[in-house]
Structure formats: structure tokens, C-alpha cells
Amino acid sequence: MFESDAAAQRTVAAVMAHYNRVARGLARNRPVCEPLFDEDTRTGEVLWEGWVSGFEEAMRLRPDSWMATVESGDAEVENALPLLLTLHAIQSGKSEMPKDSIDRLTEQAPDLIPTIVLTLNGWVKAQRGATGAANLPGAPARRAKVGRNDPCPCGSGRKFKKCCGQETVH
């Protein structure tokens, strides 16, 4: 739970702002995916495990939708999801792979994850009826300009300049 309504609004605003950045990246003609990974401040090591864990949790919300990728007939797409689940098994300590294979995938994971996401997103975009900003075939249509002090169109309840407009407002 949140300590106050304001704290809840700040959290929702941060989540929506990040969602909108990701959606804009994936909606480009040449999609871009830059997952947010934690980093060990002592070693500089990229900590991808939390990202994979969160993605796997989200997949459990709609397992039937994800099974369609495994049965897609597209070899690249059919391999993407099992690779992501292999990374989750490594992250959760449940992988039965040899240690050298685990070490190799652990090292490659930060580079593999964006490729997996772009592969899956590309397949979803190619399907009829794909919805959601991240699944549009091109960039979303522009709306009338939002003023700095107008409510943010993402629905967070915050002013645009304090939400999604933070990237562009200086």
C-alpha cells in the first residue's frame, strides 16, 4: 500500500511515463527497446534478473496469448519465448543447464533481452487486431499540442511538465 494518495499518484505517473517511453520506442518505424536494468554499483554488473522476473510475472496474467507465439510458425518467434523462460529459470535458480551454459547466458542476457522483446513485439504488430500503443505499426498520430500546465494525457492526474513531458520540457 501507499503512504498517501499523492504517493500513489507519483507511482502511477512514473509507471505511465515509462510505459509511454517504451511504447514510443516500439512504435517507431525502426523499433528501439532499451530495458531498464539495475546495476551493481560496486562492480558495474548489469542486473537483468529483476527485469526477467517481472516480465515472467506479467506473462502469467495472459498465458494463452503467449502460447500463440510458441505456435506461430515463425522459428525466431517460437524460440524467443523459451529463451526468455530459460533466463527466468536461471534467475530463479531452477535451471538444470550445465554451469558453463548458465554462465554464458547470464553474460549474454542484457544483450539478448532487447532482441527478444523486439522479436515478440514485431510478431504481435504483424497480427491482425494488435492493440496498444507499443503494438501500432507506426508512430501514434499526434494530438493537439499539450500545454506544460495541462493535465498529462496519460491519465496520471499530474501536469504534463511533471509527467510525460519531463523528457521534452527543460
Side-chain angles (χ1 to χ4, degrees):
M1 290 289 124
F2 296 97
E3 61 189 46
S4 66
D5 286 345
Q9 280 188 330
R10 283 191 303 274
T11 301
V12 168
V15 168
M16 291 307 301
H18 178 66
Y19 170 83
N20 288 327
R21 278 190 297 276
V22 170
R24 281 192 301 273
L26 292 172
R28 293 179 180 165
N29 288 336
R30 298 179 109 185
V32 175
C33 176
E34 298 175 12
L36 291 178
F37 297 124
D38 287 330
E39 185 176 307
D40 185 325
T41 55
R42 294 170 289 136
T43 65
E45 178 186 3
V46 175
L47 306 174
W48 55 269
E49 296 87 349
W51 188 96
V52 167
S53 179
F55 196 92
E56 190 275 338
E57 283 184 45
M59 286 174 30
R60 282 191 270 139
L61 297 174
R62 298 192 58 199
D64 293 345
S65 297
W66 291 101
M67 282 308 298
T69 63
V70 177
E71 300 165 352
S72 69
D74 179 319
E76 189 176 10
V77 172
E78 288 178 354
N79 291 325
L81 190 57
L83 180 55
L84 195 59
L85 294 175
T86 298
L87 292 173
H88 180 260
I90 291 170
Q91 172 273 323
S92 63
K94 296 178 181 172
S95 177
E96 297 179 6
M97 293 175 22
K99 184 179 178 341
D100 61 324
S101 296
I102 289 174
D103 291 346
R104 187 171 12 87
L105 277 175
T106 296
E107 186 177 319
Q108 295 173 347
D111 296 323
L112 291 173
I113 290 169
T115 301
I116 292 168
V117 171
L118 291 173
T119 298
L120 293 172
N121 183 258
W123 180 79
V124 168
K125 284 180 182 179
Q127 305 309 299
R128 291 177 44 193
T131 60
N135 299 323
L136 294 171
R142 291 278 181 193
R143 299 175 16 154
K145 185 173 179 176
V146 178
R148 289 173 33 90
N149 292 313
D150 291 341
C152 190
C154 78
S156 69
R158 297 177 77 195
K159 289 184 178 182
F160 178 69
K161 70 181 177 185
K162 297 284 187 178
C163 192
C164 296
Q166 276 186 311
E167 298 174 11
T168 57
V169 177
H170 300 285

